[in-house]
């Protein structure tokens, strides 16, 4: 079985529902076991989505804004996952809200990258005509986002 087959499918709708339960309009602050369950779910969703977003972003050309934004989002999400949590219910609740915001950003980037993939990346012909002959990194004349 290959690695792609071993990866569970991404369920953005479920991820967004989990986010909504934590920070959505009219959401009641979760407490106790519900808070623990939601925090664990948020972390699991992020651990599933981070590599998906990162892999899709790295397929885009360097210095391309959607790529850079997605990689910054991945960095931020990893930072939230590794952040120290203040003890007590208030600290866990604040951390859960931070995770929900980070997951929401990852979901947005995932959807943007899927749309980007379907649209395809178009070379800016005007910039390529100007830079192609004088760009030392482009010795093999592969277009970049400059």
């Amino acid at each position: 079985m290959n690695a792609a087959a071993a990866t569970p499918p991404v369920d953005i709708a479920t991820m967004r529902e989990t986010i909504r339960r934590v920070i959505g309009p009219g959401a009641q602050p979760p407490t106790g076991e519900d808070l623990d369950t939601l925090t664990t779910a948020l972390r699991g969703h992020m651990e599933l989505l981070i590599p998906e977003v990162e892999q899709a972003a790295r397929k885009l050309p360097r210095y391309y804004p959607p790529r850079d934004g997605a990689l910054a989002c991945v960095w931020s999400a990893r930072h939230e996952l590794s952040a120290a949590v203040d003890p007590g219910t208030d600290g866990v609740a604040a951390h859960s809200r931070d995770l929900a915001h980070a997951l929401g950003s990852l979901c947005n980037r995932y959807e943007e990258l899927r749309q980007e993939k379907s649209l395809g990346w178009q070379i800016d012909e005007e910039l390529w005509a100007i830079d192609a002959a004088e760009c030392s990194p482009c010795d093999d004349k592969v277009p970049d986002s400059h």
Side-chain angles (χ1 to χ4, degrees), residues 21 32 39 48 56 62 65 72 79 90 98 119 135 143:
R21 290 184 58 199
T39 301
L48 177 65
R62 291 182 63 199
H79 176 75
D90 291 341
D98 292 343
L119 296 175
C135 183

Side-chain angles (χ1 to χ4, degrees), residues 52-53 55-70 107-124 145:
E52 295 288 329
V53 171
Q55 181 181 22
R58 291 202 183 278
K59 291 179 182 176
L60 295 173
R62 291 182 63 199
Y63 311 116
Y64 187 53
R67 177 188 196 267
D68 296 342
C107 288
N108 293 342
R109 295 300 183 177
Y110 178 79
E111 289 174 331
E112 289 169 7
L113 291 170
R114 288 181 56 85
Q115 180 181 11
E116 190 73 27
K117 180 180 177 184
S118 68
L119 296 175
W121 178 66
Q122 301 299 316
I123 299 169
D124 184 325
S145 58

Side-chain angles (χ1 to χ4, degrees), residues 46-57:
M46 289 173 71
E47 289 169 357
L48 177 65
L49 198 51
I50 285 171
E52 295 288 329
V53 171
E54 183 174 31
Q55 181 181 22

Side-chain angles (χ1 to χ4, degrees), residues 57-145:
R58 291 202 183 278
K59 291 179 182 176
L60 295 173
R62 291 182 63 199
Y63 311 116
Y64 187 53
R67 177 188 196 267
D68 296 342
L71 293 176
C73 183
V74 165
W75 178 89
S76 179
R78 284 190 174 127
H79 176 75
E80 288 301 333
L81 282 175
S82 66
V85 181
D86 291 333
T89 304
D90 291 341
V92 174
H95 181 64
S96 182
R97 289 189 300 272
D98 292 343
L99 292 174
H101 285 291
L103 178 59
S105 295
L106 281 171
C107 288
N108 293 342
R109 295 300 183 177
Y110 178 79
E111 289 174 331
E112 289 169 7
L113 291 170
R114 288 181 56 85
Q115 180 181 11
E116 190 73 27
K117 180 180 177 184
S118 68
L119 296 175
W121 178 66
Q122 301 299 316
I123 299 169
D124 184 325
E125 295 296 338
E126 179 183 359
L127 290 177
W128 181 241
I130 294 168
D131 291 343
E134 304 206 10
C135 183
S136 61
C138 296
D139 290 336
D140 59 354
K141 302 299 183 234
V142 175
D144 203 341
S145 58

Side-chain angles (χ1 to χ4, degrees), residues 18-35:
T18 306
I19 294 166
R20 188 199 60 73
R21 290 184 58 199
V22 177
I23 59 171
Q28 296 298 315
T31 58
E33 190 174 314
D34 194 33
L35 177 59

